[in-house]
Amino acid sequence: MTSARLPGAPARRLNIRQRQALTAYTFLAVPLLFFLIVRFLPTLSAFRLSLFKYSILKDDQPFIGLDNYARLASDENFHKALLNTGLYTVIGVPVQIALGLAVALLLGRARLFQGLLRALYFLPYVTPVVAAAWVWQWLFSPQFGPINTFLVWLHLPPQNFLNSPSQALPVTAALVVWQNLGFQIVLFLAGLSAIPRSLYEAAELDGASGWRLFVGITLPLLNPTIVFSVVTGTIAYLQLFTQIVNLNFTDQGGPLGSTLSVAVYIYQMAFGRYEMGYASALTVALFVIIMLITLFQLRFLTRRFDY
């Protein structure tokens, strides 16, 4: 039978585990509060705004329910932007993962200047996006770009690149791949270093080598790294904005809308035509798309391997 604490008796002190838990939750509360204020509340505000025909140029902001979402179904510009965004993702994510893994494997075998090579590959990732886009614009300029100069030197016809509806999107995707390659290399280097060397030695004793080691050990144990790379890369491409805007100042959607992404279209609706309600509906739609794709990737790409 537990006796009640007498009046005036000292309160029971927390044990070490309880104090550690209290400290952990206290520190976790700070980023959680920041996330709720900076991320969650604006998302709810955007959904609320999407239910109105809201324009900063008008005093009347009528409630229209789901009309903005119905408008998405017949908006050809949105369909074009959605298609382009999907193409960016389908082109960019596999290429940057494949190149990142290949370079990481090569760097793992390098014995000389390993630190210098890693720094050189990572340099584009820390380069300001705007500056990189301007340099890319100069490189692929149809009039005076070095790429076309080199093609002429090879007796090949010059290309329009960023002024071509068929070439502008791949050139833009190439910029994003080049910028993100260093980050992918660092991820895969970390993943490769975490694989125990003893597994390779045991497999080599059984006669495995080369491709069999890669398929049987390296790829399976890199699954968490690959899943993280796919998810973060997909989210980045679905939100692609800065590179597109800075590659073409006069036409931020590219020739015939060939580089227009959903994020750029949201910007045009919100700050070009001041249709904040419809831009909010576009934002909510993009959020739902990203969430569904992320959940799908986490569900079907994650594998567990035991050795």
Side-chain angles (χ1 to χ4, degrees), residues 149-269:
T149 302
F150 181 70
L151 290 177
V152 171
W153 183 74
L154 293 177
H155 302 287
L156 296 174
Q159 304 296 317
N160 286 324
F161 292 124
L162 293 172
N163 293 335
S164 169
S166 61
Q167 297 175 351
L169 189 145
V171 170
T172 305
L175 167 61
V176 185
V177 170
W178 173 74
Q179 277 205 292
N180 291 334
L181 182 60
F183 180 68
Q184 301 297 326
I185 293 172
V186 170
L187 283 179
F188 283 115
L189 284 173
L192 290 170
S193 65
I195 300 177
R197 179 61 192 169
S198 59
L199 295 178
Y200 292 105
E201 294 173 352
E204 288 171 353
L205 290 175
D206 291 335
S209 62
W211 179 253
R212 291 183 63 187
L213 290 175
F214 178 74
V215 175
I217 297 177
T218 305
L219 272 184
L221 293 184
L222 278 179
N223 179 261
T225 304
I226 293 174
V227 171
F228 178 80
S229 180
V230 169
V231 171
T232 56
T234 301
I235 293 174
Y237 277 95
L238 291 176
Q239 295 177 329
L240 200 58
F241 175 80
T242 309
Q243 291 89 342
I244 299 171
V245 170
N246 286 277
L247 274 175
N248 196 327
F249 299 113
T250 57
D251 187 2
Q252 296 180 341
L256 301 179
S258 57
T259 63
L260 183 67
S261 69
V262 176
V264 174
Y265 188 51
I266 292 172
Y267 174 81
Q268 292 176 349
M269 289 292 102

Side-chain angles (χ1 to χ4, degrees), residues 2-307:
T2 305
S3 59
R5 184 170 61 89
L6 296 175
R12 186 174 66 87
R13 299 179 62 182
L14 299 176
N15 58 39
I16 294 177
R17 178 170 295 182
Q18 290 172 333
R19 280 183 289 176
Q20 289 177 339
L22 180 61
T23 302
Y25 283 115
T26 301
F27 280 97
L28 287 173
V30 176
L32 178 61
L33 182 63
F34 177 81
F35 177 82
L36 291 176
I37 295 175
V38 177
R39 294 286 189 179
F40 191 68
L41 291 181
T43 301
L44 292 179
S45 178
F47 177 72
R48 174 187 168 279
L49 200 61
S50 69
L51 303 178
F52 293 82
K53 189 176 182 180
Y54 189 94
S55 174
I56 62 175
L57 300 179
K58 299 178 181 179
D59 295 329
D60 185 28
Q61 317 295 346
F63 176 81
I64 58 173
L66 299 178
D67 285 0
N68 281 325
Y69 295 97
R71 178 179 170 184
L72 295 176
S74 58
D75 188 347
E76 294 184 0
N77 290 329
F78 172 67
H79 299 163
K80 179 68 174 177
L82 194 61
L83 175 62
N84 290 343
T85 303
L87 289 175
Y88 282 125
T89 306
V90 170
I91 294 172
V93 173
V95 171
Q96 72 180 26
I97 291 176
L99 289 177
L101 178 56
V103 175
L105 290 170
L106 293 175
L107 285 176
R109 297 174 178 271
R111 295 294 177 262
L112 297 175
F113 309 110
Q114 191 177 72
L116 176 61
L117 291 173
R118 293 184 181 186
L120 289 176
Y121 276 108
F122 193 71
L123 190 61
Y125 185 73
V126 298
T127 302
V129 177
V130 175
W134 290 353
V135 172
W136 211 257
Q137 185 184 51
W138 168 70
L139 287 173
F140 288 92
S141 172
Q143 291 78 25
F144 49 82
I147 304 297
N148 265 335
T149 302
F150 181 70
L151 290 177
V152 171
W153 183 74
L154 293 177
H155 302 287
L156 296 174
Q159 304 296 317
N160 286 324
F161 292 124
L162 293 172
N163 293 335
S164 169
S166 61
Q167 297 175 351
L169 189 145
V171 170
T172 305
L175 167 61
V176 185
V177 170
W178 173 74
Q179 277 205 292
N180 291 334
L181 182 60
F183 180 68
Q184 301 297 326
I185 293 172
V186 170
L187 283 179
F188 283 115
L189 284 173
L192 290 170
S193 65
I195 300 177
R197 179 61 192 169
S198 59
L199 295 178
Y200 292 105
E201 294 173 352
E204 288 171 353
L205 290 175
D206 291 335
S209 62
W211 179 253
R212 291 183 63 187
L213 290 175
F214 178 74
V215 175
I217 297 177
T218 305
L219 272 184
L221 293 184
L222 278 179
N223 179 261
T225 304
I226 293 174
V227 171
F228 178 80
S229 180
V230 169
V231 171
T232 56
T234 301
I235 293 174
Y237 277 95
L238 291 176
Q239 295 177 329
L240 200 58
F241 175 80
T242 309
Q243 291 89 342
I244 299 171
V245 170
N246 286 277
L247 274 175
N248 196 327
F249 299 113
T250 57
D251 187 2
Q252 296 180 341
L256 301 179
S258 57
T259 63
L260 183 67
S261 69
V262 176
V264 174
Y265 188 51
I266 292 172
Y267 174 81
Q268 292 176 349
M269 289 292 102
F271 302 104
R273 299 176 60 176
Y274 304 109
E275 296 186 26
M276 298 296 181
Y278 186 57
S280 297
L282 291 168
T283 303
V284 173
L286 180 60
F287 169 77
V288 172
I289 291 171
I290 292 175
M291 182 181 65
L292 292 177
I293 292 177
T294 301
L295 293 175
F296 176 84
Q297 290 173 333
L298 292 174
R299 173 64 179 83
F300 292 98
L301 294 181
T302 303
R303 298 288 185 272
R304 293 186 180 275
F305 295 92
D306 297 321
Y307 285 87

